[in-house]
Amino acid sequence: MYAVEPNPSRLETIKAGRSFFFEEGLDVLIKSALDNGSLIPTDSYANSVKHSFAVFSCVGTPDNPDGSSNLEYVMSAAKQAAQYMQPGAIYIQKSTVPVGTGLQIIAIFDKLGVQAPYISNPEFLREGTAVHDTLYFDRIVAGGDDKDAVETVLGIYQKLEESRDKITKLSGVSTGNKSGQYMATSLNSAELIKVAANAFLAMKISFANSIARLSDAVDADIVEVMDAVGADARIGRSFLNAGRGYGGGCFPKDVSGLIASGLKNGVELELIQATQSLNDSMPGYIVKKLHTALGGIKNKKIAILGLAFKAGTSDVRRSPGVTIANILAQSGATVTTYDPQAQEQAAEWLYEGISQNFSINDALAGVDAVVIATDWPEILTYPPTLYAKTMKGAILMDAVNALSRHRMESHNLTYIGVGR
Ligand code: UGA
């Protein structure tokens, strides 16, 4: 198997047997595949695509300033691969693309005289649990007109499933759902399944956050509410955790991409628009609550614990923790931060003057308030006695709703949650 990586420093890292980002279980798999010769990292399409019967496109699809998907890398990869596709080879799209992209690429292939079957095979793994999710999937979707090619793609995952126990052991990830489904669909359906699934999960989070705001207003507890709402098997408890809102390289851009896709096709997706605007307002809502508790933000010293968009990753793209830190700094607060994995990535996004610290203790020293912005175990298990000892003030804003109010209050901390 070849891995094509055009970025020289990333390629060198992979060649050295490591991933260029933090992901549980991945380094050991890369190292082992390099050692046994089954993984060949390269920057050359010619030396890789030419020898491959299946070519997976797994490139980034960031958003344009108007929220639509930027397909620059998807198109560039397709055009470069097209030069070397061998007869019978299948082109498989794993990148998240707006519905209709596959047809555009097929048209490009036709123009270039490339006959390769084109299959949409969307990715459903989560950052932080990528290896686990790849091995223990809920479903594998493959969509396209060429039924034999669809079956071949599904067969690749069946092979992976056969080696699942071995890979689980080697990577050290936990086991999970063993009864994932294989689904063959049309090309456009496969493309839509991916963004619709992400938009639905984002909508669940925004739903929980809007009920959390009402809970704040009427003195109810959103955790109790969602525990009971989610206990209904038709609804399910997952993705109903209220807090500072969703971030990352997927939900924000997939939600805006779906809205743009709708508009392009004359359909206004109001529910998805509301999901987005509610989420955009959550960091400001957190700051407002802090403002009320502190009697103002200006000249206050505030610590942000957690800069990654979620625990288990060093990714800070669209991270609510970073947004909250920047709003506070802009409002005249002195802001200190700490994250166990994402300090380096966060550096370029944090406004000037925001300090990064090497430990929770350092970040908390002398602050008036602390905001828990990512649910890292190291942060959630930090002893309440130490908060009280290290901080000047006593306000603890739990923006991920992951701590016990009772426990924090019993150590003389003023606990503020989101909808609690
Ligand atoms: C998401 C999807 O969960 C994956 O299925 C999908 O494959 C992936 O996007 C993708 O499109 O590539 P990911 O972005 O890695 O995965 O992270 P999630 O675990 O979904 O979390 C996204 C954000 O929602 C995080 O900021 C998280 O803190 C937040 N979240 C999650 C909540 O605020 N509340 C919840 O209840 C759950």
Side-chain angles (χ1 to χ4, degrees):
M1 185 181 67
Y2 300 90
V4 184
E5 173 54 66
N7 178 310
S9 99
R10 290 179 172 186
L11 182 62
E12 280 319 303
T13 310
I14 299 169
K15 281 183 173 169
R18 280 180 286 116
S19 162
F20 50 87
F21 49 85
F22 174 72
E23 185 64 53
E24 192 199 353
L26 191 54
D27 283 358
V28 63
L29 294 183
I30 294 177
K31 176 86 175 56
S32 139
L34 279 177
D35 289 349
N36 67 28
S38 60
L39 175 67
I40 307 167
T42 175
D43 58 3
S44 163
Y45 280 75
N47 292 341
S48 52
V49 174
K50 223 187 242 172
H51 312 296
S52 303
F53 86 96
V55 178
F56 286 87
S57 163
C58 320
V59 300
T61 46
D63 46 356
N64 289 313
D66 68 355
S68 63
S69 305
N70 176 347
L71 296 177
E72 186 188 335
Y73 306 116
V74 168
M75 294 305 176
S76 155
K79 284 177 195 158
Q80 292 189 72
Q83 297 174 50
Y84 306 105
M85 294 283 290
Q86 294 303 294
I90 308 171
Y91 196 76
I92 305 155
Q93 190 63 259
K94 282 208 84 66
S95 316
T96 301
V97 293
V99 57
T101 306
L103 292 177
Q104 281 178 48
I105 295 177
I106 290 170
I108 293 173
F109 280 3
D110 280 350
K111 243 193 206 157
L112 296 170
V114 176
Q115 297 303 325
Y118 180 96
I119 305 296
S120 166
N121 169 223
E123 183 53 67
F124 299 107
L125 62 78
R126 294 160 298 171
E127 288 182 36
T129 51
V131 175
H132 166 95
D133 293 354
T134 302
L135 296 171
Y136 301 95
F137 46 84
D138 291 328
R139 74 301 211 191
I140 299 292
V141 173
D145 287 343
D146 186 323
K147 298 301 161 214
D148 290 341
V150 166
E151 286 311 314
T152 303
V153 172
L154 294 177
I156 292 173
Y157 290 93
Q158 274 151 356
K159 278 256 173 305
L160 176 73
E161 200 180 341
E162 284 163 21
S163 318
R164 183 151 70 185
D165 292 346
K166 206 176 87 195
I167 304 172
T168 304
K169 216 166 151 194
L170 180 63
S171 62
V173 299
S174 58
T175 51
N177 170 26
K178 291 195 178 175
S179 52
Q181 297 183 50
Y182 291 91
M183 304 175 118
T185 69
S186 75
L187 174 57
N188 282 3
S189 296
E191 289 176 339
L192 201 50
I193 285 165
K194 164 69 195 205
V195 275
N198 271 5
F200 189 81
L201 292 169
M203 192 174 73
K204 281 185 93 173
I205 299 169
S206 280
F207 175 80
N209 281 330
S210 45
I211 303 297
R213 285 171 167 229
L214 180 58
S215 300
D216 270 338
V218 300
D219 206 12
D221 184 334
I222 189 66
V223 178
E224 288 176 357
V225 174
M226 286 307 157
D227 280 350
V229 169
D232 184 328
R234 294 169 301 174
I235 298 172
R237 178 64 178 87
S238 66
F239 283 76
L240 287 178
N241 292 327
R244 75 314 193 238
Y246 59 78
C250 303
F251 284 178
K253 73 154 174 74
D254 290 350
V255 165
S256 70
L258 186 58
I259 294 168
S261 234
L263 291 177
K264 195 174 153 201
N265 291 288
V267 181
E268 197 163 338
L269 300 167
E270 284 116 337
L271 211 54
I272 315 300
Q273 288 166 353
T275 296
Q276 182 184 48
S277 56
L278 193 282
N279 192 64
D280 288 348
S281 73
M282 288 315 289
Y285 183 71
I286 303 290
V287 172
K288 205 167 141 206
K289 290 190 81 162
L290 212 50
H291 187 284
T292 308
L294 283 165
I297 296 292
K298 203 163 181 223
N299 298 327
K300 296 289 188 319
K301 196 170 173 193
I302 302 167
I304 308 292
L305 299 185
L307 297 169
F309 82 97
K310 66 173 187 177
T313 176
S314 53
D315 195 343
V316 297
R317 284 176 292 171
R318 307 278 167 87
S319 172
V322 172
T323 308
I324 294 167
N326 287 340
I327 300 176
L328 289 171
Q330 229 170 7
S331 313
T334 300
V335 181
T336 65
T337 63
Y338 170 74
D339 189 284
Q341 292 288 346
Q343 308 254 113
E344 210 180 306
Q345 278 91 334
E348 67 171 300
W349 299 102
L350 291 172
Y351 288 174
E352 222 182 296
I354 296 179
S355 76
Q356 295 218 54
N357 295 270
F358 291 110
S359 69
I360 298 181
N361 274 348
D362 289 350
L364 289 179
V367 299
D368 299 290
V370 55
V371 180
I372 313 295
T374 312
D375 50 349
W376 283 108
E378 180 187 338
I379 296 173
L380 301 187
T381 55
Y382 187 77
T385 42
L386 287 184
Y387 279 114
K389 223 193 215 159
T390 322
M391 291 166 60
K392 187 174 96 194
I395 291 170
L396 186 145
M397 167 92 228
D398 179 6
V400 286
N401 278 353
L403 298 172
S404 149
R405 167 190 290 277
H406 176 71
R407 185 154 178 254
M408 295 299 140
E409 286 180 346
S410 69
H411 288 87
N412 297 325
L413 291 161
T414 307
Y415 177 91
I416 309 167
V418 183
R420 298 178 86 183

